[in-house]
Short mmCIF file of all heavy atoms in Angstrom, two decimals:
data_model
loop_
_atom_site.label_atom_id
_atom_site.label_comp_id
_atom_site.label_asym_id
_atom_site.label_seq_id
_atom_site.Cartn_x
_atom_site.Cartn_y
_atom_site.Cartn_z
N ALA A 850 0.07 5.64 1.06
CA ALA A 850 -0.31 4.28 0.69
C ALA A 850 0.92 3.45 0.36
O ALA A 850 0.99 2.26 0.72
CB ALA A 850 -1.26 4.33 -0.51
N THR A 851 1.92 4.04 -0.30
CA THR A 851 3.15 3.32 -0.64
C THR A 851 3.90 2.90 0.62
O THR A 851 4.42 1.78 0.70
CB THR A 851 4.05 4.21 -1.53
OG1 THR A 851 3.35 4.57 -2.71
CG2 THR A 851 5.34 3.48 -1.91
N CYS A 852 3.94 3.80 1.59
CA CYS A 852 4.60 3.47 2.87
C CYS A 852 3.89 2.31 3.57
O CYS A 852 4.54 1.43 4.16
CB CYS A 852 4.63 4.69 3.78
SG CYS A 852 5.76 5.99 3.22
N ARG A 853 2.56 2.29 3.52
CA ARG A 853 1.80 1.20 4.15
C ARG A 853 2.10 -0.12 3.45
O ARG A 853 2.24 -1.17 4.12
CB ARG A 853 0.30 1.49 4.06
CG ARG A 853 -0.14 2.69 4.89
CD ARG A 853 0.00 2.45 6.38
NE ARG A 853 -0.41 3.57 7.18
CZ ARG A 853 -1.63 3.74 7.65
NH1 ARG A 853 -2.58 2.86 7.40
NH2 ARG A 853 -1.91 4.80 8.40
N VAL A 854 2.19 -0.09 2.12
CA VAL A 854 2.51 -1.32 1.37
C VAL A 854 3.87 -1.87 1.81
O VAL A 854 4.02 -3.06 2.11
CB VAL A 854 2.50 -1.06 -0.15
CG1 VAL A 854 3.05 -2.27 -0.91
CG2 VAL A 854 1.09 -0.73 -0.63
N LYS A 855 4.86 -1.01 1.88
CA LYS A 855 6.21 -1.44 2.28
C LYS A 855 6.22 -1.92 3.73
O LYS A 855 6.89 -2.92 4.06
CB LYS A 855 7.19 -0.27 2.10
CG LYS A 855 7.43 0.12 0.65
CD LYS A 855 8.39 1.29 0.56
CE LYS A 855 8.67 1.66 -0.88
NZ LYS A 855 9.59 2.82 -1.00
N TYR A 856 5.49 -1.21 4.58
CA TYR A 856 5.46 -1.55 6.01
C TYR A 856 4.93 -2.97 6.23
O TYR A 856 5.54 -3.79 6.92
CB TYR A 856 4.61 -0.54 6.77
CG TYR A 856 4.41 -0.86 8.22
CD1 TYR A 856 5.39 -0.53 9.16
CD2 TYR A 856 3.24 -1.51 8.65
CE1 TYR A 856 5.21 -0.85 10.50
CE2 TYR A 856 3.05 -1.81 9.98
CZ TYR A 856 4.04 -1.48 10.91
OH TYR A 856 3.85 -1.79 12.23
N TYR A 857 3.78 -3.29 5.61
CA TYR A 857 3.17 -4.60 5.83
C TYR A 857 3.90 -5.72 5.11
O TYR A 857 3.85 -6.87 5.53
CB TYR A 857 1.71 -4.56 5.42
CG TYR A 857 0.85 -3.82 6.43
CD1 TYR A 857 0.28 -2.58 6.13
CD2 TYR A 857 0.62 -4.35 7.70
CE1 TYR A 857 -0.48 -1.90 7.05
CE2 TYR A 857 -0.14 -3.67 8.64
CZ TYR A 857 -0.69 -2.44 8.31
OH TYR A 857 -1.43 -1.77 9.25
N ARG A 858 4.61 -5.40 4.03
CA ARG A 858 5.43 -6.42 3.39
C ARG A 858 6.60 -6.80 4.30
O ARG A 858 6.96 -7.98 4.38
CB ARG A 858 5.95 -5.90 2.04
CG ARG A 858 4.91 -5.97 0.92
CD ARG A 858 5.43 -5.39 -0.37
NE ARG A 858 4.45 -5.49 -1.45
CZ ARG A 858 4.58 -4.89 -2.63
NH1 ARG A 858 5.65 -4.13 -2.86
NH2 ARG A 858 3.64 -5.04 -3.54
N LYS A 859 7.18 -5.81 4.98
CA LYS A 859 8.28 -6.10 5.91
C LYS A 859 7.78 -6.89 7.12
O LYS A 859 8.54 -7.67 7.70
CB LYS A 859 8.93 -4.79 6.37
CG LYS A 859 9.77 -4.12 5.31
CD LYS A 859 10.43 -2.85 5.86
CE LYS A 859 11.30 -2.19 4.81
NZ LYS A 859 11.94 -0.94 5.32
N ARG A 860 6.53 -6.66 7.49
CA ARG A 860 5.95 -7.36 8.64
C ARG A 860 5.37 -8.72 8.23
O ARG A 860 4.70 -9.37 9.03
CB ARG A 860 4.85 -6.52 9.28
CG ARG A 860 5.33 -5.21 9.91
CD ARG A 860 6.29 -5.47 11.07
NE ARG A 860 6.68 -4.26 11.75
CZ ARG A 860 7.66 -3.47 11.37
NH1 ARG A 860 8.36 -3.75 10.27
NH2 ARG A 860 7.96 -2.39 12.06
N ASP A 861 5.66 -9.10 6.97
CA ASP A 861 5.17 -10.39 6.45
C ASP A 861 3.65 -10.50 6.51
O ASP A 861 3.09 -11.52 6.92
CB ASP A 861 5.82 -11.55 7.23
CG ASP A 861 5.71 -12.86 6.44
OD1 ASP A 861 5.53 -12.79 5.20
OD2 ASP A 861 5.77 -13.93 7.07
N ARG A 862 2.98 -9.43 6.14
CA ARG A 862 1.53 -9.41 6.05
C ARG A 862 1.12 -9.10 4.60
O ARG A 862 0.64 -8.02 4.28
CB ARG A 862 0.94 -8.37 7.00
CG ARG A 862 1.19 -8.65 8.48
CD ARG A 862 0.53 -9.95 8.93
NE ARG A 862 -0.90 -9.97 8.65
CZ ARG A 862 -1.82 -9.51 9.49
NH1 ARG A 862 -1.45 -8.98 10.65
NH2 ARG A 862 -3.10 -9.60 9.19
N PRO A 863 1.32 -10.07 3.69
CA PRO A 863 1.05 -9.80 2.27
C PRO A 863 -0.42 -9.49 1.98
O PRO A 863 -0.72 -8.79 1.02
CB PRO A 863 1.49 -11.10 1.58
CG PRO A 863 1.43 -12.13 2.65
CD PRO A 863 1.80 -11.44 3.91
N ASP A 864 -1.35 -10.05 2.79
CA ASP A 864 -2.77 -9.80 2.55
C ASP A 864 -3.11 -8.32 2.74
O ASP A 864 -3.79 -7.70 1.90
CB ASP A 864 -3.61 -10.67 3.49
CG ASP A 864 -3.18 -10.55 4.95
OD1 ASP A 864 -2.01 -10.15 5.20
OD2 ASP A 864 -4.01 -10.81 5.83
N ILE A 865 -2.61 -7.73 3.84
CA ILE A 865 -2.89 -6.30 4.09
C ILE A 865 -2.11 -5.43 3.09
O ILE A 865 -2.63 -4.43 2.60
CB ILE A 865 -2.51 -5.93 5.53
CG1 ILE A 865 -3.29 -6.78 6.53
CG2 ILE A 865 -2.78 -4.45 5.78
CD1 ILE A 865 -2.94 -6.50 7.97
N ALA A 866 -0.87 -5.84 2.78
CA ALA A 866 -0.07 -5.09 1.80
C ALA A 866 -0.77 -5.07 0.44
O ALA A 866 -0.77 -4.04 -0.27
CB ALA A 866 1.32 -5.72 1.67
N HIS A 867 -1.41 -6.21 0.08
CA HIS A 867 -2.12 -6.29 -1.20
C HIS A 867 -3.31 -5.32 -1.21
O HIS A 867 -3.57 -4.67 -2.24
CB HIS A 867 -2.59 -7.72 -1.42
CG HIS A 867 -3.35 -7.90 -2.71
ND1 HIS A 867 -2.76 -7.78 -3.94
CD2 HIS A 867 -4.67 -8.17 -2.93
CE1 HIS A 867 -3.67 -7.97 -4.88
NE2 HIS A 867 -4.84 -8.22 -4.28
N GLU A 868 -4.03 -5.22 -0.11
CA GLU A 868 -5.17 -4.31 -0.03
C GLU A 868 -4.73 -2.86 -0.18
O GLU A 868 -5.37 -2.06 -0.87
CB GLU A 868 -5.91 -4.51 1.30
CG GLU A 868 -6.62 -5.85 1.42
CD GLU A 868 -7.65 -6.05 0.34
OE1 GLU A 868 -8.37 -5.06 0.02
OE2 GLU A 868 -7.74 -7.16 -0.21
N TRP A 869 -3.62 -2.54 0.50
CA TRP A 869 -3.11 -1.17 0.38
C TRP A 869 -2.57 -0.89 -1.03
O TRP A 869 -2.64 0.24 -1.53
CB TRP A 869 -2.01 -0.92 1.41
CG TRP A 869 -2.55 -0.46 2.73
CD1 TRP A 869 -2.63 -1.17 3.89
CD2 TRP A 869 -3.12 0.83 3.00
NE1 TRP A 869 -3.21 -0.42 4.88
CE2 TRP A 869 -3.52 0.83 4.36
CE3 TRP A 869 -3.33 1.97 2.25
CZ2 TRP A 869 -4.13 1.93 4.97
CZ3 TRP A 869 -3.92 3.07 2.85
CH2 TRP A 869 -4.32 3.06 4.19
N ASP A 870 -2.05 -1.92 -1.67
CA ASP A 870 -1.56 -1.75 -3.06
C ASP A 870 -2.72 -1.44 -4.00
O ASP A 870 -2.59 -0.63 -4.93
CB ASP A 870 -0.83 -3.02 -3.51
CG ASP A 870 -0.10 -2.81 -4.81
OD1 ASP A 870 0.51 -1.73 -4.99
OD2 ASP A 870 -0.13 -3.70 -5.68
N LYS A 871 -3.89 -2.07 -3.76
CA LYS A 871 -5.08 -1.77 -4.57
C LYS A 871 -5.53 -0.34 -4.35
O LYS A 871 -5.95 0.34 -5.29
CB LYS A 871 -6.20 -2.76 -4.25
CG LYS A 871 -5.95 -4.17 -4.76
CD LYS A 871 -7.21 -5.02 -4.78
CE LYS A 871 -7.72 -5.27 -3.37
NZ LYS A 871 -8.91 -6.18 -3.38
N VAL A 872 -5.43 0.12 -3.11
CA VAL A 872 -5.78 1.51 -2.81
C VAL A 872 -4.82 2.46 -3.54
O VAL A 872 -5.24 3.47 -4.15
CB VAL A 872 -5.75 1.76 -1.30
CG1 VAL A 872 -5.90 3.26 -1.00
CG2 VAL A 872 -6.83 0.97 -0.59
N ARG A 873 -3.54 2.12 -3.51
CA ARG A 873 -2.52 2.97 -4.13
C ARG A 873 -2.73 3.10 -5.63
O ARG A 873 -2.53 4.17 -6.21
CB ARG A 873 -1.13 2.40 -3.84
CG ARG A 873 0.00 3.23 -4.44
CD ARG A 873 1.35 2.68 -4.10
NE ARG A 873 1.56 1.33 -4.62
CZ ARG A 873 2.74 0.71 -4.62
NH1 ARG A 873 3.79 1.31 -4.08
NH2 ARG A 873 2.86 -0.52 -5.10
N ARG A 874 -3.15 2.02 -6.27
CA ARG A 874 -3.35 2.02 -7.72
C ARG A 874 -4.48 2.95 -8.15
O ARG A 874 -4.57 3.34 -9.31
CB ARG A 874 -3.61 0.61 -8.23
CG ARG A 874 -2.40 -0.31 -8.14
CD ARG A 874 -2.77 -1.73 -8.52
NE ARG A 874 -1.65 -2.64 -8.33
CZ ARG A 874 -0.72 -2.89 -9.25
NH1 ARG A 874 -0.79 -2.27 -10.43
NH2 ARG A 874 0.27 -3.73 -9.02
N GLN A 875 -5.37 3.27 -7.23
CA GLN A 875 -6.49 4.15 -7.56
C GLN A 875 -6.19 5.62 -7.27
O GLN A 875 -7.05 6.48 -7.49
CB GLN A 875 -7.73 3.70 -6.76
CG GLN A 875 -8.21 2.30 -7.11
CD GLN A 875 -9.35 1.84 -6.21
OE1 GLN A 875 -9.79 2.57 -5.33
NE2 GLN A 875 -9.83 0.63 -6.46
N ILE A 876 -4.98 5.89 -6.79
CA ILE A 876 -4.61 7.26 -6.44
C ILE A 876 -3.54 7.75 -7.42
O ILE A 876 -2.57 7.03 -7.68
CB ILE A 876 -4.05 7.32 -4.99
CG1 ILE A 876 -5.08 6.79 -4.00
CG2 ILE A 876 -3.65 8.74 -4.62
CD1 ILE A 876 -4.52 6.64 -2.59
N PRO A 877 -3.66 8.96 -7.95
CA PRO A 877 -2.60 9.51 -8.81
C PRO A 877 -1.29 9.63 -8.04
O PRO A 877 -1.29 10.06 -6.88
CB PRO A 877 -3.12 10.89 -9.20
CG PRO A 877 -4.59 10.85 -8.95
CD PRO A 877 -4.80 9.89 -7.81
N SER A 878 -0.20 9.22 -8.65
CA SER A 878 1.09 9.28 -7.96
C SER A 878 1.59 10.72 -7.80
O SER A 878 2.36 11.01 -6.88
CB SER A 878 2.14 8.47 -8.73
OG SER A 878 2.35 9.01 -10.01
N CYS A 879 1.12 11.62 -8.67
CA CYS A 879 1.53 13.02 -8.59
C CYS A 879 0.33 13.89 -8.27
O CYS A 879 -0.82 13.52 -8.50
CB CYS A 879 2.16 13.47 -9.91
SG CYS A 879 3.67 12.58 -10.32
N ASP A 880 0.61 15.07 -7.76
CA ASP A 880 -0.44 16.02 -7.41
C ASP A 880 -0.90 16.73 -8.68
O ASP A 880 -0.20 17.58 -9.24
CB ASP A 880 0.12 17.04 -6.42
CG ASP A 880 -0.95 18.02 -5.94
OD1 ASP A 880 -2.10 17.90 -6.41
OD2 ASP A 880 -0.63 18.89 -5.11
N VAL A 881 -2.09 16.37 -9.18
CA VAL A 881 -2.59 16.93 -10.44
C VAL A 881 -2.95 18.40 -10.30
O VAL A 881 -3.17 19.10 -11.31
CB VAL A 881 -3.81 16.13 -10.94
CG1 VAL A 881 -3.41 14.71 -11.30
CG2 VAL A 881 -4.94 16.14 -9.92
N THR A 882 -3.04 18.91 -9.08
CA THR A 882 -3.35 20.33 -8.86
C THR A 882 -2.12 21.14 -8.47
O THR A 882 -2.25 22.25 -7.97
CB THR A 882 -4.43 20.47 -7.76
OG1 THR A 882 -3.91 19.94 -6.53
CG2 THR A 882 -5.70 19.72 -8.14
#
């Protein structure tokens, strides 16, 4: 998800980057298992 956010920001697509950022915020950054 982080890679997608960076990718669409570089492609000047802030709307899609924002959606992926919302997805990223709902995912734990570390592997809890």
